[in-house]
Amino acid sequence: MADDQRGRPSGSRSGRGRGPRQRSAQAPAQRARRGDPARDTAYAVMRAVADGGYANLVLPKALRTAGLHGRDAGFATELTYGTLRMQGLYDAMLDAAVDPPGRSIDPTVRDILRLGAHQLLAMRVPDHAAVSATVALARQHVGTGAGGFVNAVLRRVSERSRQEWLELVEASTTDPVERLALTHSHPAWIVRALRAALIGHGSSTAESVDTDLVALLEEHNRAAAPALVARPGLGAEVELERAGATPDETAPTAWVMPSGDPGGLAVVRDGRAAVQDAGSQLLALALASVPVDGDAEPESWLDLCAGPGGKAGLLGAVAAQRGATLRANEVQPHRADLVRNTLAAVRHAHPGTVTVTVDDGREVGESDRGHYQRVLVDAPCTGLGALRRRPEARWRRTPKDLAELGPLQRDLLASAIEATATGGVVLYSTCSPHLAETQFVVQDVLRTRPDVTLEDVRPLLLDRAGTPLPDTGPGPTAQLWPHRHGTDGMFLALLRVG
């Protein structure tokens, strides 16, 4: 990157939209030496994510620990999630802004620089405040030397508008996928996989796929309003409405919380409602609504991979209304404990309806052969359909994960089929549109089971008005999309045994 004689990056300052950049009048030694609580909380979450944590779990606890509410909590949330989403783009910008370009940056300092870049380029924070507060974070958590480095780099970042930075980093490659990956801050392999998935699920044509792909990538970078489920028969709806939530038209049990922390609601804390994407609700309701053959009374249902319990919570509530029983199985004991906690309200209201077990789902088919009328296999997957809500997943996952998860997904589906009674159904789902986790898994298992048929699941995906969701693909499987349905990218396949 060329510099002018004053050591600043050269380039036009026109067309910025935000007006002239306002530098801090303070020298670094005069600035604050401690970050403010909101930025400090965002930094703590970033470091926890770097250590393997999940932002959606870490951030609410961090906000409560810091005592942040209202605008401060909103600022910390946007700063955290926005930085995590856009860190690929910001890294490319920062690598161009350091001297010399591309020099190594300590991971802790890089997180601080990412937070500063997001304030400068994507939030309504004056430049001097963004730089000063970020320098204070560096001084507090790393040291004075780091503060000086952060100050120098962010001053360079502030010399260009977001659009100017986009043009600069896009010029580093002529590959159209790489350019999309940079612009929309996704790893290139994920961009390629999503493009293939849009075509493979019949959602896009070769002519329209690039437009759809851009819309999907853009949707991944928008904040999703907190989605909740009102578990049927537990009286959650009235309290959600009183708390300001509104019915979501996407699913009959879905609600939207426009602002605030859903975890603070009593109806969520006691388990009558829960935070859950509408797409996840749709698949549980679809399994519960499909007709099954046989005269089993009561019906026995199975959630083969139940942890942490969200879908089991909805299935259990519906099972109670239908006089059925549900086995919620989880292979890991600590996740089984989460399932028990999630199902506490259902189990209290309807004793004996739900049983939580700890078993390897791959072995349930042999030990409980032909026992269940309805089986859910919400298989472990890469989570590429939930990048709006779990932005860190895009940076953690690699193509190697697909190779490791594929055999497990096939074994779980095969076990579920074994556990299903003749005339019963299995719903296979993933929160990923990747063809290796969806269509290919189902096709491979069906080749070994001529007694199993694939049925059209699309008519079962009903919105609040009872109308099937549009644009879920040509069938018989269905694929939900964030940019089309406002849900996570859930895949569903319905299989009938015998």
Side-chain angles (χ1 to χ4, degrees), residues 195 197-213 481 483-484:
R195 189 180 192 279
L198 283 163
I199 295 175
H201 289 294
S203 299
S204 301
T205 64
E207 294 74 24
S208 67
V209 65
D210 291 329
T211 300
D212 271 353
L213 179 58
W481 296 100
H483 66 300
R484 292 187 175 177

Side-chain angles (χ1 to χ4, degrees), residues 350-410:
H350 305 283
T353 296
V354 181
T355 302
V356 180
T357 61
V358 181
D359 284 301
D360 188 332
R362 293 170 293 186
E363 300 173 357
V364 169
E366 183 176 349
S367 62
D368 250 358
R369 192 180 304 273
H371 182 72
Y372 302 97
Q373 285 71 49
R374 303 173 195 270
V375 179
L376 172 64
V377 186
D378 183 37
C381 67
T382 57
L384 299 186
L387 298 184
R388 298 181 308 160
R389 302 185 190 278
R390 297 179 181 175
E392 67 276 0
R394 69 183 77 175
W395 312 117
R396 286 185 180 166
R397 290 302 190 181
T398 69
K400 181 181 177 182
D401 295 320
L402 295 167
E404 294 175 349
L405 287 165
L408 174 61
Q409 292 161 347
R410 287 164 174 80

